[in-house]
Amino acid sequence: MVKLEDLKKEATQILKSGKVKYIIGYAKGAAGFMPIPAFISDPEDAENLTWNPACVHNLTKFIVDEKKRLKKEKKPDNRPIGIIVKGCDSRAINVLLQEKYIDRDDVYLLGVSCEKTGVVDEKKLAKTLKGQRVVQIDFEDNGNFLVTTESGSEKIPAEDVLAERCIECKANFPVVFDIVFGEKIKRQVDKPFQSVETIEALSQKDRWKFWKEQLDKCIRCYACRSVCPMCYCDECVVDTISFAVEPDTSAEEKAQKIKWIEKSPNLSENIVYHLTRAMHLAGRCIDCGECERVCPLDIPIRFLNKKMEKDAKNFFDYEVGFDPDQPSLVSSFKDEDPEDFIR
Amino acid sequence: MAEEFEPRIVAFLCKWCSSAGSDLAGVSRMEYPPNVIPIQVMCSGSVSPLYILSAFKKGADGVLVSGCHPGDCHYIKGNFYARRRIALVKGQLEFIGLEPERFQMSWVSAAEGKKYTEIIKDFVNTLKPLGPQTKLRRNP
Amino acid sequence: MKKKTGVFVCHCGINIAGTVDVKKVTKDLAKHPGVEHSEDYIYMCSDPGQNLIIDSIKEKGLDKVVVACCSPTLHEMTFRNAAKSAGINEFQCEIANIREQCSWVHKDMDKATDKATRITRSAVERVQGNESLEPISIPVTRRALVIGGGIAGIQAALDMANTGYEVVLVERSPSIGGHMIQLSETFPTLDCSQCILTPKMVEVSKHPKIKLLTYSEVQDVSGYVGNFKVKILKKPTYVDPEKCTLCDECVRVCPVVTSNEFDLGLTGRRAIYIPFPQAIPATYTLDIKNCPGLLPIACGKCADVCDPEAIDYDMKPEIIEEDVGAIVIATGFDLYEKENLSEYGYGKYPDVLDGLQFERLCSASGPTQGKILRPSDHKEPKEVVFIQCAGSRDPELHCAYCSKICCMYTAKHAMLYKHHVHDGQAYIFYIDIRSGGKGYEEFVQRAVEEDGVIYLRGKVAKIFEEKGKVKVWGVDTLSGKDIEIDADMVVLATAMRPSDGAEDLAKKLKIALDKDGFLAEAHPKLKPVESVTAGIFLAGAAQAPKDIPEVVAQASGAAAKAIAILSQERLFHSPNVAKVNLNLCTGCGMCVDVCPYEAVSLKDGKAEVNEVLCEGCGTCQATCLRAAIEVKNLTPAQVHEMITASLGG
């Protein structure tokens, strides 16, 4: 089990010693049991750090934001940032390293092990508890969560309320870290692509029916894009104008902008948006599931990314985020890549 | 009787092999259906997934990407990148329920005019019974 | 500025007009946005046709032109030149191919006309996004570098030098000559190898245009076609060739004996040595690996006896920098490692030799002065077994490829053996006899008919020593019989492989290797002497196993290709190259990974295109997730409009 006290101690120490300029971690939220991302620079505030199954967020997104901010600063403070990473989050770090978006020295990684379980799916939990208000959720031994509601505490088997991505997770222990908390426990994942396979098993008509319904809902709020640590492009293809607007960009130049994807939410544009996003995440998405979690319309966006992950693995034996030195999925090839689909 | 459905195909042909191959079909006067509009690109490796999605969105009933055979790429290895990229796009399109027949990839060398005509003939014949592509099409 | 595009639709007699309603295409295109002028003519490529375009550009002030006609491979240049002569940029002219892609392959006039209209509209959309470009002009350093001083390098260097260009010839061993100088006689004419090669070697050494750097290695290459910068490490020989009089006194006093590379270990040499009598440059080299030490206290005998004081223990390695415009790589081959062929007892039994060792035995200048004697007991072998494909054509255990020259040189060896040992018997185990080449098949027949060589089709199963004999067990697959030969000597036609260090060199030059480690040519059929990098050419066995005439032909080909560059003051390169939008680039380097030409690199965390190296394939464009790199005049924005125009309406 991750000992929160150890985590706090380390956090205090690295803040005091000036090893990191601040720490991105989880702290108790103002309302409800879900923690919030916390930015801690005062060693005394390290006391506020928390670690529990509701620490769902992929905090690496904030590293990307910080990187963007630093680029604009005249005298950037380039000291490392401490960040708490779960297994999946640590893979995101590897992808960012692979794409040279960050340097290893930019971050001090405080790894936390998910051990036998993972993080909770808020909706599943609500369903299981039939509306009882959760006050606190904690890791328990033997793959259970200890859930405290207003009416008391109860043990719930984690698998009943675990986020879907955790069920298919291949990295319950950080793959890169400077210090790690909790144990490395080997966990057998029998069906890492079960979610995708369920959809693939449908007939072509049913698959279309499913996605038509799902993608028709999209209101193009771009929450999925905003939360994604890999969506760090300075200008998204959805907003593409094929050039950045500068002060001297003429009106005519602006008028010439191409719209690969219209912003208006309708099925066709939504499909192209989501497929393009999935393509752009192929070989990069580490399945932190944040896009799906934040979607206000509950679109299973994760499936599209997971499909790419599956094809990358099955066709090209490519796994994302385990090796920061491997070339990217689409900027490499093997002579023996499959081509049975080519005439 | 209603007029028979004529599918519209956009074909991204690499300049050095597939475009040259289709030119050869022309020089050899090999007839094939006029349903295909060729767009010459330098290399199959330059075909971005956006080109494909965009063509479907603009109403293509089928999309073909064609390049040099592996090992023959004018740019040495562009077609290998294409092969990987196209495999991913194809997987994704099928995953959301587009008819797999609507998106094809082929290797057509500069000498394979005949093969090009056969690909187009077969493509048109497969697309006809499927009817118009409305899934990705904007305002069908 | 408003675009004023002119569309010119060609009838091509009835070639286009027979199937496509050109009048309708012309009329429809006139309505297309941005089209100022639309016209048809019976033969656009004729002089009156071209004048029509030129006049329209001038009269109507057109700034862009689309000619709907035949394939761009035929008349793109014609119409671009016409556009240029009318005063607009040549890259503002695009071709819509409505003949090969349309009129020639369709019969239905309505449908063909509709398709021709779409193709032409698409070309109009493309040209409207075109930038005006000028060919990229590159100055040329009019000198060449040749790496490798074997026959390939010698030939390429002489060809270029004789055309008048300065050549820097770099050879890593102490003398030029390569493997060819080790050979005794050459098939199919049996000329003495040294007799035909040494005049060329001397010519190299005396040539005013050739700077010969032996005992030197290329350390670093930067730059690009026309403008390479090369760093060469010249290792110290500790002997000043200017002072050396070749008196051989130093060799006599040297206390060290080590294996002689030139005779492939069949003889020894001293630590100070001349590789072979005709070595170029004609001087000694002190082999520091085997010398007891440079401190006079350690030995110093050679310096003591050197009257002209040519030996200088203080000589230091030198880095020589050269600017060249083209590079020819001729690094040759080495033999497949002995250790890999233990099944033939190679390296284990002294009387099992490889082909090159046998060449030395046959050579008049060799260890036995041309007498064929067994290394073990110096007796004349009466039965010799030659084994072809030792390491070649064996994808499971060794090299998958055919080493190409072994069939011929084995026939030669058997023949030479018979010429030396008249009462001897030569056997050759073979898989196939590949004797394609001028006079080659006749040569093999001669070996069989005149010299009684016995060819046995099959592989050798086992070789072992017994009672002073080398026993060879094999199968003749034609008769199905087991064969046992009590041979006195076995000669293996060992596979050729890329020479040591070829991989390293390829990395320095940023050129590709094929699956077997040979240098990869740019195109297997049409660019057999070009590497994938512009300005770097391949010659000789470094590219693939080949025999001397082929090597010489390829070397001259590579020289001619290099001369094509050196003969120009400036090179011109297509400006349809990739450009980077620095605002969008995040420096992930995926474009760098995919570029087949090493034309993209990262500089200060952003991609940078070397326009000279870029061939405009656009693979980077499709790979970039940020739309931060695109090829000029075929940008994603243009393709987008082309797709729209192809499908719209």
Side-chain angles (χ1 to χ4, degrees), chain C residues 381-551:
Chain C
K382 295 296 177 195
E383 287 195 276
V384 178
V385 171
F386 295 88
I387 301 171
Q388 293 190 177
C389 299
S392 306
R393 301 181 64 193
D394 190 346
E396 273 90 53
L397 297 173
H398 304 294
C399 313
Y401 53 87
C402 166
S403 293
K404 197 169 184 181
I405 61 168
C406 327
C407 287
M408 291 310 298
Y409 81 61
T410 303
K412 177 190 79 179
H413 284 167
M415 205 184 265
L416 290 179
Y417 165 67
K418 282 290 287 183
H419 295 178
H420 284 93
V421 183
H422 302 302
D423 59 343
Q425 179 60 55
Y427 303 90
I428 298 179
F429 278 93
Y430 71 102
I431 305 179
D432 298 295
I433 301 173
R434 299 184 168 178
S435 55
K438 198 168 166 176
Y440 287 11
E441 176 57 23
E442 297 92 316
F443 186 78
V444 173
Q445 288 310 320
R446 203 175 119 198
V448 176
E449 285 159 18
E450 292 180 18
D451 295 306
V453 174
I454 298 175
Y455 272 88
L456 298 162
R457 191 178 196 277
K459 279 205 145 185
V460 168
K462 198 176 175 186
I463 292 183
F464 58 99
E465 259 185 354
E466 199 178 277
K467 294 176 194 157
K469 294 279 184 187
V470 188
K471 292 223 173 212
V472 180
W473 288 2
V475 185
D476 179 1
T477 55
L478 294 181
S479 65
K481 281 184 187 147
D482 288 340
I483 308 277
E484 279 187 46
I485 301 169
D486 288 351
D488 297 304
M489 187 191 272
V490 169
V491 180
L492 304 177
T494 321
M496 289 165 95
R497 62 165 179 86
S499 67
D500 288 329
E503 191 181 342
D504 234 24
L505 186 67
K507 265 187 203 142
K508 284 175 192 158
L509 290 156
K510 302 183 185 76
I511 59 170
L513 299 173
D514 66 21
K515 63 179 185 1
D516 300 314
F518 290 101
L519 303 175
E521 63 279 4
H523 190 281
K525 289 108 198 171
L526 299 178
K527 291 185 174 179
V529 304
E530 288 98 326
S531 77
V532 294
T533 306
I536 300 183
F537 305 99
L538 316 174
Q543 182 249 340
K546 50 175 79 73
D547 60 23
I548 296 167
E550 265 190 273
V551 166

Side-chain angles (χ1 to χ4, degrees), chain B residues 3 6 8-10 12-13 15 18-19 22-43 45-52 54-56 58-61 71-78 81 85 116-117, chain C residues 15 71-73 76 97 99-102 104-108 111-112 114-115 118-119 122 126 512 522-525 527 532 576 593-597 615-624 631 634-636 639-640 642-644 646-649:
Chain B
E3 215 177 303
E6 290 292 350
R8 203 167 289 300
I9 301 165
V10 173
F12 295 99
L13 309 177
K15 175 176 174 172
S18 297
S19 197
S22 59
D23 272 4
L24 177 65
V27 174
S28 321
R29 312 295 203 279
M30 296 169 178
E31 206 195 334
Y32 58 86
N35 305 56
V36 59
I37 310 291
I39 292 182
Q40 192 188 79
V41 292
M42 295 305 277
C43 178
S46 76
V47 177
S48 149
L50 269 176
Y51 295 4
I52 297 152
S54 202
F56 280 124
K58 306 261 173 197
D61 300 304
D72 289 350
C73 178
H74 181 82
Y75 300 107
I76 308 149
K77 50 185 186 177
Y81 296 112
R85 204 169 0 248
Y116 181 74
T117 64
Chain C
N15 278 305
S71 168
T73 51
E76 187 177 73
N97 180 354
R99 193 179 74 176
E100 282 84 347
Q101 295 288 346
C102 190
W104 275 354
V105 286
H106 307 314
K107 281 193 180 135
D108 183 317
K111 285 175 180 168
D114 176 63
K115 178 173 168 180
R118 288 170 189 276
I119 292 173
S122 165
R126 177 177 179 188
H523 190 281
K525 289 108 198 171
K527 291 185 174 179
V532 294
N576 289 18
D593 291 344
V594 296
C595 180
Y597 303 99
E615 295 280 335
C617 69
T619 301
C620 53
Q621 177 174 294
T623 307
C624 182
V631 175
L634 197 54
T635 62
V639 175
H640 179 266
M642 289 164 78
I643 295 169
T644 314
S646 301
L647 289 164

Side-chain angles (χ1 to χ4, degrees), chain C residues 323-398:
Chain C
D323 290 347
V324 295
I327 299 175
V328 175
I329 316 178
T331 48
F333 70 97
D334 275 320
L335 289 183
Y336 192 56
E337 280 82 356
K338 278 184 183 184
E339 299 73 46
N340 297 341
L341 290 168
S342 54
E343 68 259 43
Y344 293 126
Y346 181 35
K348 189 158 117 202
Y349 309 129
D351 297 329
V352 177
L353 305 179
D354 64 43
L356 268 180
Q357 287 176 319
F358 192 74
E359 292 285 346
R360 296 309 302 147
L361 281 187
C362 296
S363 171
S365 69
T368 52
Q369 284 79 44
K371 291 194 190 83
I372 295 178
L373 302 173
R374 309 205 314 173
S376 62
D377 54 10
H378 297 269
K379 280 187 189 147
E380 201 173 63
K382 295 296 177 195
E383 287 195 276
V384 178
V385 171
F386 295 88
I387 301 171
Q388 293 190 177
C389 299
S392 306
R393 301 181 64 193
D394 190 346
E396 273 90 53
L397 297 173
H398 304 294

